[in-house]
Amino acid sequence: MKPVPRIKLKVNGQEYQVEVPADITLLELLREYLSLTGTKEGCGKGECGACTVLMDGQAVNSCLVPAAKAEGSEVLTIEGLASPDGRLHPLQEAFISEGAVQCGFCTPGMIMSAKALLDQNPHPTREEIKVALSGNLCRCTGYAKIITAVEKAAAMIAGEGRG
């Protein structure tokens, strides 16, 4: 395996230059080279959504993105969602308060997909939430509490549910 020349990217607001083998994925770069293990590997085929991160503001399955494609990109993972003072993002708060977390394996990917949705559409309908999360599988909760959590987070972000 020949290493790729250093990949420059920004992850969770921090600049990195990483030398990695040419055949690894963004998921592997995040987990194995940057020790950001919140992003999970589920199926490894882009079908479960457990590995979802935001790359340049778009939700992507990091198991399908060659690391080299992240050159010059800005990546946001679940670890970068909380504020610098440690306060949870409204999506994280809502997932907890609404009981949308069971085993937690799918949670990072669900939250990142929901973040991408709310960044594009701050007031989604239930149907729009369902569509946005359709690439994320959960085997524990069903989806009702997850959808409710996204609705609650949208209200919190809009200032309707804070307090």
Side-chain angles (χ1 to χ4, degrees):
M1 273 184 279
K2 183 178 178 185
V4 169
R6 291 187 187 268
I7 295 172
K8 291 175 71 173
L9 71 163
K10 187 183 279 190
V11 180
N12 300 332
Q14 185 174 341
E15 298 276 349
Y16 290 94
Q17 288 189 24
V18 188
E19 192 169 298
V20 297
D23 62 346
I24 73 162
T25 64
L26 177 57
L27 174 64
E28 293 168 302
L29 184 152
L30 294 170
R31 292 182 59 83
E32 297 172 21
Y33 290 81
L34 302 182
S35 298
L36 296 171
T37 58
T39 303
K40 306 300 181 202
E41 180 171 10
C43 66
K45 299 177 182 177
E47 296 177 3
C48 73
C51 67
T52 302
V53 299
L54 302 187
M55 189 164 99
D56 298 325
Q58 300 296 313
V60 298
N61 291 320
S62 62
C63 73
L64 296 180
V65 178
K69 289 275 187 186
E71 170 70 34
S73 292
E74 193 161 329
V75 176
L76 181 66
T77 71
I78 193 73
E79 289 93 345
L81 211 49
S83 65
D85 66 3
R87 199 175 94 209
L88 295 179
H89 185 278
L91 276 163
Q92 294 168 309
E93 290 179 12
F95 267 64
I96 293 167
S97 68
E98 294 302 315
V101 177
Q102 294 290 311
C103 81
F105 195 81
C106 71
T107 305
M110 286 280 187
I111 288 175
M112 298 312 292
S113 290
K115 169 105 170 74
L117 168 66
L118 296 180
D119 286 350
Q120 296 291 318
N121 179 0
H123 303 287
T125 65
R126 283 183 77 79
E127 191 58 35
E128 290 168 330
I129 294 168
K130 289 178 186 179
V131 170
L133 300 179
S134 64
N136 297 78
L137 301 180
C138 176
R139 300 185 189 276
C140 301
T141 66
Y143 296 90
K145 291 180 179 184
I146 292 170
I147 293 164
T148 300
V150 176
E151 290 175 321
K152 181 176 184 174
M156 291 169 72
I157 292 167
E160 301 164 9
R162 279 254 185 233

Coordinates of all heavy atoms in Angstrom, one line a residue, residues 60-106:
V60 N -23.0 12.3 4.7 CA -22.4 11.2 3.8 C -22.2 10.0 4.7 O -22.0 10.1 5.9 CB -21.1 11.7 3.2 CG1 -21.2 12.9 2.3 CG2 -20.0 12.0 4.3
N61 N -22.2 8.9 4.0 CA -21.8 7.6 4.6 C -20.3 7.5 4.6 O -19.7 7.3 3.5 CB -22.4 6.4 3.9 CG -23.9 6.3 4.1 OD1 -24.4 6.6 5.2 ND2 -24.7 6.0 3.1
S62 N -19.6 7.7 5.7 CA -18.2 7.8 5.7 C -17.5 6.5 5.3 O -16.4 6.5 4.9 CB -17.7 8.3 7.0 OG -18.0 7.5 8.1
C63 N -18.3 5.4 5.4 CA -17.7 4.1 5.0 C -17.6 4.0 3.5 O -16.9 3.1 3.0 CB -18.5 2.9 5.5 SG -20.1 2.7 4.7
L64 N -18.2 4.8 2.7 CA -18.2 4.8 1.3 C -17.3 5.9 0.7 O -17.0 5.8 -0.5 CB -19.6 5.0 0.7 CG -20.6 3.9 1.0 CD1 -21.9 4.3 0.3 CD2 -20.1 2.5 0.5
V65 N -16.8 6.8 1.5 CA -16.0 7.9 1.0 C -14.5 7.6 1.1 O -14.0 7.4 2.3 CB -16.3 9.2 1.8 CG1 -15.4 10.4 1.3 CG2 -17.8 9.6 1.7
P66 N -13.8 7.5 0.0 CA -12.4 7.3 0.1 C -11.8 8.5 0.9 O -12.1 9.6 0.7 CB -11.9 7.3 -1.3 CG -13.1 7.0 -2.1 CD -14.3 7.6 -1.4
A67 N -10.8 8.2 1.8 CA -10.2 9.2 2.6 C -9.7 10.4 1.7 O -9.8 11.5 2.1 CB -9.1 8.6 3.5
A68 N -9.1 10.0 0.6 CA -8.5 11.0 -0.3 C -9.5 12.0 -0.8 O -9.2 13.1 -1.1 CB -7.8 10.3 -1.5
K69 N -10.8 11.6 -0.9 CA -11.9 12.5 -1.4 C -12.1 13.6 -0.3 O -12.8 14.6 -0.7 CB -13.1 11.7 -1.7 CG -13.1 10.8 -2.9 CD -13.4 11.6 -4.1 CE -13.5 10.7 -5.3 NZ -13.7 11.4 -6.5
A70 N -11.7 13.4 0.9 CA -11.9 14.4 1.9 C -10.9 15.5 1.9 O -11.0 16.5 2.7 CB -11.9 13.7 3.3
E71 N -9.9 15.4 1.0 CA -8.9 16.5 0.9 C -9.6 17.8 0.8 O -10.4 18.1 -0.1 CB -8.0 16.2 -0.4 CG -7.1 17.3 -0.7 CD -6.0 17.5 0.2 OE1 -5.5 16.5 0.8 OE2 -5.5 18.7 0.4
G72 N -9.2 18.7 1.6 CA -9.7 20.1 1.6 C -11.1 20.3 2.2 O -11.6 21.4 2.2
S73 N -11.7 19.2 2.6 CA -13.1 19.3 3.1 C -13.1 19.6 4.6 O -12.2 19.5 5.3 CB -13.8 17.9 2.9 OG -13.9 17.6 1.6
E74 N -14.3 20.0 5.0 CA -14.7 20.2 6.4 C -15.6 19.1 6.8 O -16.7 19.0 6.2 CB -15.3 21.6 6.6 CG -15.4 22.0 8.0 CD -15.6 23.5 8.2 OE1 -15.1 24.3 7.3 OE2 -16.2 23.9 9.2
V75 N -15.2 18.4 7.8 CA -16.0 17.2 8.3 C -16.5 17.5 9.7 O -15.7 18.0 10.6 CB -15.1 16.0 8.3 CG1 -15.9 14.8 8.8 CG2 -14.7 15.7 6.8
L76 N -17.7 17.2 10.0 CA -18.3 17.3 11.3 C -18.7 15.9 11.8 O -19.5 15.3 11.0 CB -19.4 18.3 11.4 CG -20.1 18.5 12.7 CD1 -19.1 19.2 13.7 CD2 -21.4 19.4 12.6
T77 N -18.2 15.5 12.9 CA -18.6 14.2 13.5 C -19.4 14.5 14.8 O -19.5 15.6 15.2 CB -17.4 13.3 13.9 OG1 -16.8 13.9 15.0 CG2 -16.4 13.2 12.7
I78 N -20.0 13.4 15.3 CA -20.8 13.6 16.6 C -19.9 14.2 17.7 O -20.5 15.0 18.5 CB -21.3 12.2 17.0 CG1 -22.4 12.3 18.1 CG2 -20.2 11.2 17.4 CD1 -23.7 12.9 17.6
E79 N -18.6 14.0 17.7 CA -17.8 14.6 18.7 C -17.7 16.1 18.6 O -17.5 16.8 19.6 CB -16.3 14.0 18.6 CG -16.2 12.6 19.1 CD -16.3 11.6 17.9 OE1 -16.8 12.0 16.8 OE2 -15.9 10.4 18.1
G80 N -17.9 16.6 17.4 CA -17.9 18.1 17.2 C -19.2 18.8 17.4 O -19.3 20.0 17.2
L81 N -20.2 18.1 17.7 CA -21.6 18.7 17.8 C -21.8 19.5 19.1 O -22.4 20.5 19.0 CB -22.6 17.6 17.7 CG -23.9 17.9 17.0 CD1 -23.7 18.7 15.7 CD2 -24.8 16.7 16.8
A82 N -21.3 19.0 20.2 CA -21.4 19.8 21.4 C -20.6 21.1 21.4 O -19.7 21.2 20.6 CB -21.0 18.9 22.6
S83 N -21.0 22.0 22.1 CA -20.3 23.3 22.2 C -19.0 23.2 22.9 O -18.8 22.2 23.6 CB -21.2 24.4 22.9 OG -21.4 24.1 24.2
P84 N -18.1 24.1 22.6 CA -16.7 24.0 23.3 C -16.8 23.9 24.8 O -15.9 23.3 25.4 CB -16.0 25.2 22.8 CG -16.7 25.6 21.5 CD -18.1 25.2 21.7
D85 N -17.8 24.4 25.4 CA -17.9 24.3 26.9 C -18.6 23.0 27.3 O -18.8 22.8 28.5 CB -18.7 25.6 27.4 CG -20.2 25.6 27.0 OD1 -20.7 24.7 26.3 OD2 -20.8 26.6 27.4
G86 N -18.8 22.1 26.4 CA -19.4 20.8 26.7 C -20.9 20.7 26.7 O -21.4 19.6 26.9
R87 N -21.6 21.8 26.5 CA -23.0 21.8 26.4 C -23.5 21.0 25.2 O -23.0 21.2 24.1 CB -23.6 23.2 26.4 CG -25.1 23.2 26.8 CD -25.6 24.6 26.9 NE -26.2 24.9 25.6 CZ -26.3 26.1 25.0 NH1 -25.8 27.1 25.6 NH2 -26.8 26.2 23.8
L88 N -24.4 20.1 25.4 CA -24.9 19.3 24.3 C -25.7 20.1 23.3 O -26.3 21.1 23.6 CB -25.8 18.1 24.8 CG -25.1 17.1 25.7 CD1 -26.2 16.1 26.2 CD2 -24.0 16.4 25.0
H89 N -25.6 19.6 22.1 CA -26.4 20.2 21.0 C -27.9 19.9 21.3 O -28.2 18.8 21.8 CB -25.9 19.6 19.6 CG -26.6 20.2 18.4 ND1 -27.8 19.9 18.0 CD2 -26.2 21.2 17.6 CE1 -28.2 20.6 16.9 NE2 -27.1 21.4 16.7
P90 N -28.8 20.7 20.8 CA -30.2 20.4 21.1 C -30.6 19.1 20.5 O -31.5 18.4 21.1 CB -31.0 21.6 20.3 CG -30.0 22.7 20.4 CD -28.6 22.1 20.3
L91 N -30.1 18.6 19.4 CA -30.4 17.2 19.0 C -30.0 16.2 20.0 O -30.7 15.2 20.3 CB -29.7 17.0 17.6 CG -30.5 17.5 16.4 CD1 -29.5 17.5 15.2 CD2 -31.7 16.6 16.1
Q92 N -28.8 16.3 20.6 CA -28.3 15.4 21.6 C -29.2 15.4 22.8 O -29.6 14.4 23.3 CB -26.9 15.7 22.0 CG -25.9 15.4 20.8 CD -24.5 16.0 21.1 OE1 -24.4 17.2 21.4 NE2 -23.5 15.2 20.9
E93 N -29.6 16.7 23.2 CA -30.5 16.8 24.4 C -31.8 16.2 24.1 O -32.4 15.5 25.0 CB -30.7 18.3 24.7 CG -29.5 19.0 25.3 CD -29.7 20.5 25.5 OE1 -30.9 20.9 25.5 OE2 -28.8 21.2 25.8
A94 N -32.4 16.4 22.9 CA -33.7 15.9 22.6 C -33.7 14.4 22.5 O -34.6 13.7 22.9 CB -34.2 16.5 21.3
F95 N -32.6 13.8 21.9 CA -32.5 12.3 21.8 C -32.6 11.7 23.2 O -33.2 10.7 23.5 CB -31.3 11.9 21.1 CG -31.6 11.7 19.6 CD1 -31.9 12.7 18.8 CD2 -31.4 10.4 19.0 CE1 -32.2 12.5 17.4 CE2 -31.6 10.2 17.7 CZ -32.0 11.3 16.9
I96 N -31.9 12.3 24.2 CA -31.8 11.8 25.5 C -33.2 12.0 26.2 O -33.8 11.1 26.7 CB -30.7 12.5 26.4 CG1 -29.4 12.2 25.8 CG2 -30.8 12.2 27.8 CD1 -28.2 13.0 26.3
S97 N -33.7 13.2 26.2 CA -35.0 13.5 26.9 C -36.2 12.8 26.3 O -37.1 12.4 27.1 CB -35.3 15.0 26.9 OG -35.6 15.5 25.6
E98 N -36.2 12.5 25.0 CA -37.3 11.7 24.4 C -37.1 10.2 24.4 O -38.0 9.5 23.9 CB -37.5 12.2 23.0 CG -37.9 13.7 22.9 CD -39.2 14.0 23.6 OE1 -40.2 13.2 23.5 OE2 -39.3 15.0 24.4
G99 N -36.0 9.7 25.0 CA -35.8 8.3 25.0 C -35.5 7.7 23.6 O -35.9 6.5 23.4
A100 N -34.9 8.5 22.8 CA -34.6 8.0 21.4 C -33.3 7.2 21.3 O -32.9 6.8 20.2 CB -34.6 9.2 20.5
V101 N -32.7 7.0 22.5 CA -31.4 6.3 22.5 C -31.7 5.0 23.3 O -32.2 5.0 24.4 CB -30.3 7.1 23.3 CG1 -29.1 6.3 23.4 CG2 -30.1 8.4 22.6
Q102 N -31.4 3.9 22.6 CA -31.5 2.6 23.3 C -30.1 2.0 23.5 O -29.4 2.4 24.4 CB -32.4 1.6 22.6 CG -33.9 2.0 22.5 CD -34.5 1.9 23.9 OE1 -34.5 0.9 24.6 NE2 -35.2 3.0 24.3
C103 N -29.7 1.2 22.5 CA -28.3 0.7 22.6 C -27.3 1.8 22.3 O -26.1 1.8 22.7 CB -28.1 -0.5 21.8 SG -27.8 -0.2 20.0
G104 N -27.7 2.8 21.5 CA -26.8 3.9 21.1 C -26.0 3.7 19.9 O -25.3 4.7 19.4
F105 N -26.0 2.5 19.3 CA -25.1 2.3 18.1 C -25.5 3.2 17.0 O -24.6 3.7 16.3 CB -25.1 0.8 17.8 CG -24.0 0.5 16.8 CD1 -22.7 0.2 17.3 CD2 -24.1 0.4 15.5 CE1 -21.6 -0.1 16.5 CE2 -23.1 0.1 14.6 CZ -21.8 -0.1 15.1
C106 N -26.7 3.3 16.7 CA -27.2 4.1 15.5 C -27.2 5.6 15.8 O -27.3 6.4 14.9 CB -28.5 3.6 15.0 SG -29.9 4.1 16.1

